[in-house]
């Protein structure tokens, strides 16, 4: 009744009943969760972007569940439906789907090319099903898939093809295989994976068989603080040889019967075209066998497939004519009389083919020369710039005598330029033309005024250096 009331109040209900029965619709969102549906409701509007069908009884998803194309649908939720069958053509009408939730159902197999129509899919939830068989092409054409959740199923074989072939899932950043039935994992190949992918590779709660490569893989992940190892240390368990009880994998170091040792790591740098030798210096005497695993997961026992990798008599690996794809982590597996040991060598291949090996020196030299020239130019500007008023300094007014009053120096009148002719600073002044009383030079350069007639005839011409001369004609306001 609540769903019906909400559907009647929504804009969809007033639009001719375009919202499917027993669903709540808002804008381009369709929520049909917990509606006791046994099939996908119809009709579905073409502009739907999110369709929630979780917690229903849709046990089969046929190819005709969406008879018309839904070009805007990007999220489809089908969890908790008891879904046991999905047609290989079920997603032909939703090519823009980015989020697909099929979790908590009863799926048992992932058939051939099941998701091949979902080229834009980014998140696929398949956890908590009964999946035991995964076809190698089930995830074909998922070039944008970033997160794949396969936990809590019945998978017994590790799907290494999802990780090894980068062209299949090139953007995969999370793979959850926890709580399955895995008894072994390809430790060497997983060790060669990039750290960002191993950080989101979940293997806990699997009945794994204990061995030293598995311990060293997880121990190295713990030392590098990978979340898939650090967050689930207690759930990472395995069965020791001949035992029936699980033990923590990260506690196998130095314990019988495996006596696993912690892996050693080294870093080696080289350039394109160089030849390098990766040492495998084990601390154990009487080593029975040793082999190398390349970053691509290939095992080197003798000459490499392309002749660039050679296993030497002392156990070292020689790489000739380095290429960019030769960079990565190489692992040396040593089988000793008491325990096994693994050594990891991370090879960094620097590319100087575009600019040559001397670019670093040339750049440093150019920078040094530029700094020296900058300092020289600054010094020239500060000390060798010619003075534009050198001729004026000789004609400057000499310092005032010490007996001048402070008022004379501070309140002296501004030179009179009313009659100036704009002569340069080097022009000569006629003798006596700028002489004031007491023989001082008058800044204005004007001759003294003639004495006035009348009662104020005895008044002298005001001195420009005098305080009274400045304020003589200004009335005093009390």
């Amino acid at each position: 009744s609540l769903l019906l009331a909400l559907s009647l109040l929504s804009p969809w209900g007033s639009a001719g009943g375009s919202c499917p029965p027993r669903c709540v619709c808002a804008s381009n969102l369709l929520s049909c969760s917990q509606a006791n549906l046994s099939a996908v409701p119809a009709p579905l509007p073409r502009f739907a972007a999110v369709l929630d069908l979780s917690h229903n009884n849709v046990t089969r998803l046929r190819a005709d569940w969406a008879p018309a194309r839904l070009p805007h649908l990007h999220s489809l939720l089908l969890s908790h439906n008891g879904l046991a069958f999905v047609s290989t053509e079920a997603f032909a009408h939703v090519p823009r789907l980015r989020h697909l939730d099929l979790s908590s159902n009863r799926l048992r197999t992932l058939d051939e090319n099941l998701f091949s129509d979902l080229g834009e899919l980014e998140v696929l939830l398949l956890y908590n099903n009964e999946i035991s068989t995964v076809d190698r092409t089930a995830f074909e054409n998922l070039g944008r898939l970033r997160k794949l959740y396969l936990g809590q199923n019945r998978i017994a074989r590790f799907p290494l093809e999802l990780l090894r072939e980068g062209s299949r899932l090139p953007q995969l950043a999370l793979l959850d295989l926890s709580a399955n039935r895995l008894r072994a994992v390809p430790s060497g190949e997983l060790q060669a994976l990039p750290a960002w992918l191993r950080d989101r590779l979940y293997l806990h709660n699997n009945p794994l068989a204990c061995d030293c490569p598995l311990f060293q893989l997880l121990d190295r992940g713990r030392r590098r603080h990978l979340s898939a190892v650090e967050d689930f240390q207690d759930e990472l368990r395995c069965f020791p040889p001949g035992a029936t009880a699980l033990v923590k994998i990260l506690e196998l170091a130095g314990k019988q019967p495996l006596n696993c040792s912690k892996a050693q790591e080294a870093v080696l740098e080289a350039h394109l075209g160089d030849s390098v030798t990766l040492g495998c210096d084990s601390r154990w005497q009487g080593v029975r066998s040793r082999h190398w695993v390349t970053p691509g997961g290939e095992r080197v026992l003798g000459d490499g497939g392309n002749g660039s990798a050679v296993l030497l008599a002392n156990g070292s690996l020689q790489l000739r004519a380095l290429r960019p794809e030769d960079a990565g982590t190489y692992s040396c597996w040593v089988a000793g009389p008491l325990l096994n040991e693994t050594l990891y060598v991370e090879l960094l291949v620097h590319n100087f083919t575009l600019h040559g090996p001397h670019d670093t020196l040339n750049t440093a030299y150019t920078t040094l020369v530029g700094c020296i020239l900058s300092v020289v130019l600054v010094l020239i500007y500060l000390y060798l710039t010619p003075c534009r008023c050198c001729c004026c300094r000789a004609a400057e007014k000499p310092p005032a005598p010490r007996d001048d009053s402070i008022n004379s120096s501070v309140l002296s009148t501004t030179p009179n330029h009313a009659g100036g002719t704009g002569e340069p600073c080097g022009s000569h002044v006629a003798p006596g033309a700028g002489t004031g009383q007491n023989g001082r030079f008058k800044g204005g350069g004007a001759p003294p005024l003639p004495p006035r007639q009348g009662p104020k005839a005895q008044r002298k011409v005001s001195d420009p250096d005098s305080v009274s001369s400045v304020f003589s004609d200004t009335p005093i306001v009390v």
Side-chain angles (χ1 to χ4, degrees):
S1 60
L2 178 60
L3 293 176
L4 180 60
L6 290 176
S7 62
L8 291 176
L9 292 175
S10 68
W12 291 60
S14 60
S18 58
C19 184
R22 288 185 281 182
C23 295
V24 177
C25 305
S27 182
N28 57 355
L29 310 179
L30 284 75
S31 177
C32 305
S33 179
Q34 299 182 2
N36 197 24
L37 298 174
S38 58
V40 179
L44 293 174
R46 287 176 51 84
F47 53 84
V50 178
L51 177 58
D52 185 2
L53 295 170
S54 61
H55 297 276
N56 282 292
N57 298 315
V58 183
T59 59
R60 302 177 68 85
L61 191 66
R62 301 179 181 275
D64 58 351
W65 71 272
R69 185 180 178 89
L70 301 176
H72 303 288
L73 191 69
H74 61 75
S75 297
L76 177 60
L77 312 179
L78 283 165
S79 62
H80 298 278
N81 268 281
L83 192 63
F85 170 78
V86 178
S87 172
T88 55
E89 300 177 357
F91 306 107
H93 295 298
V94 287
R96 299 294 180 85
L97 207 62
R98 298 197 303 268
H99 183 100
L100 177 59
D101 187 358
L102 297 174
S103 63
S104 300
N105 283 295
R106 297 178 181 175
L107 297 176
R108 295 184 177 181
T109 62
L110 299 180
D111 296 330
E112 179 182 0
N113 296 320
L114 181 59
F115 306 105
S116 59
D117 293 323
L118 302 176
E120 299 185 11
L121 192 65
E122 298 178 1
V123 180
L124 179 57
L125 307 178
L126 291 167
Y127 64 87
N128 195 22
N129 276 279
E130 301 174 3
I131 301 173
S132 59
T133 304
V134 180
D135 190 270
R136 292 180 178 271
T137 63
F139 305 102
E140 203 72 39
N141 299 330
L142 298 184
R144 297 187 180 182
L145 188 66
R146 296 185 296 105
K147 299 179 180 181
L148 176 58
Y149 295 87
L150 289 169
Q152 300 183 44
N153 280 286
R154 301 176 182 178
I155 300 175
R157 183 189 67 85
F158 187 91
L160 183 60
E161 64 276 0
L162 299 180
L163 304 176
R164 178 187 295 172
E165 302 174 10
S167 59
R168 175 166 296 182
L169 298 177
Q171 298 188 21
L172 187 65
L174 185 151
L175 177 59
D176 181 13
L177 291 170
S178 62
N180 275 281
R181 299 181 179 179
L182 299 177
R183 291 191 172 274
V185 295
S187 302
E189 288 80 353
L190 297 182
Q191 187 61 67
L193 294 176
W196 55 267
L197 181 53
R198 282 186 284 116
D199 189 33
R200 294 292 185 270
L201 177 60
Y202 297 95
L203 299 171
H204 56 278
N205 290 332
N206 275 286
L208 298 170
C210 296
D211 58 22
C212 290
L214 175 63
F215 162 75
Q216 290 157 354
L217 170 69
L218 299 178
D219 180 66
R220 192 182 184 204
R222 177 176 58 179
R223 282 185 289 165
R224 295 195 173 191
H225 305 288
L226 302 184
S227 60
V229 178
E230 279 196 330
D231 297 342
F232 299 95
Q233 295 188 39
D234 295 335
E235 290 82 8
L236 286 167
R237 296 173 175 267
C238 63
F239 285 103
T244 58
L246 290 168
V247 298
K248 294 182 180 180
I249 300 177
L250 295 176
E251 295 181 357
L252 291 176
K255 292 185 178 181
Q256 294 292 340
L258 296 176
N259 281 336
C260 298
S261 63
K262 295 185 177 181
Q264 303 179 20
E265 299 184 65
V267 178
L268 181 63
E269 298 186 23
H271 303 96
L272 288 179
D274 291 351
S275 296
V276 297
T277 301
L278 310 182
C280 186
D281 300 326
S282 175
R283 57 182 176 175
W284 305 111
Q285 301 295 329
V287 174
R288 295 193 300 267
S289 64
R290 71 181 80 196
H291 68 272
W292 285 86
V293 177
T294 66
E298 299 178 0
R299 186 169 177 174
V300 180
L301 298 175
D303 292 344
N306 54 7
S308 61
V310 178
L311 184 63
L312 303 181
N314 61 356
S316 300
L317 182 67
Q318 187 180 55
L319 302 175
R320 304 169 182 172
L322 289 179
R323 303 164 299 171
E325 55 268 24
D326 292 331
T329 302
Y330 293 78
S331 53
C332 178
W333 305 86
V334 180
L338 299 177
L339 69 144
N340 299 325
E341 186 177 14
T342 306
L343 295 91
Y344 296 101
V345 179
E346 184 176 358
L347 178 62
L348 305 178
V349 179
H350 299 290
N351 186 358
F352 288 125
T353 57
L354 297 179
H355 305 288
H358 303 292
D359 277 357
T360 303
L361 179 61
N362 293 337
T363 303
Y365 177 77
T366 304
T367 304
L368 178 61
V369 172
C371 292
I372 295 176
L373 290 177
S374 299
V375 173
V376 171
L377 291 176
V378 170
L379 293 177
I380 291 175
Y381 176 79
L382 292 177
Y383 296 101
L384 299 181
T385 303
C387 177
R388 297 180 180 179
C389 297
C390 57
C391 55
C392 301
R393 293 182 179 179
E396 286 181 355
K397 179 181 177 180
R402 297 181 60 88
D403 57 349
D404 284 355
S405 64
I406 186 171
N407 293 334
S408 300
S409 61
V410 175
L411 300 174
S412 60
T413 58
T414 304
N416 184 11
H417 299 284
T421 60
E423 296 180 355
C425 59
S427 59
H428 298 281
V429 182
T435 305
Q437 63 180 10
N438 300 327
R440 295 182 180 178
F441 176 79
K442 296 185 66 176
L449 298 175
R452 296 183 180 181
Q453 301 295 330
K456 296 183 180 181
Q458 302 298 325
R459 182 178 177 181
K460 297 182 179 180
V461 179
S462 60
D463 190 350
D465 291 336
S466 172
V467 178
S468 59
S469 67
V470 178
F471 297 102
S472 59
D473 296 331
T474 304
I476 299 177
V477 180
V478 180

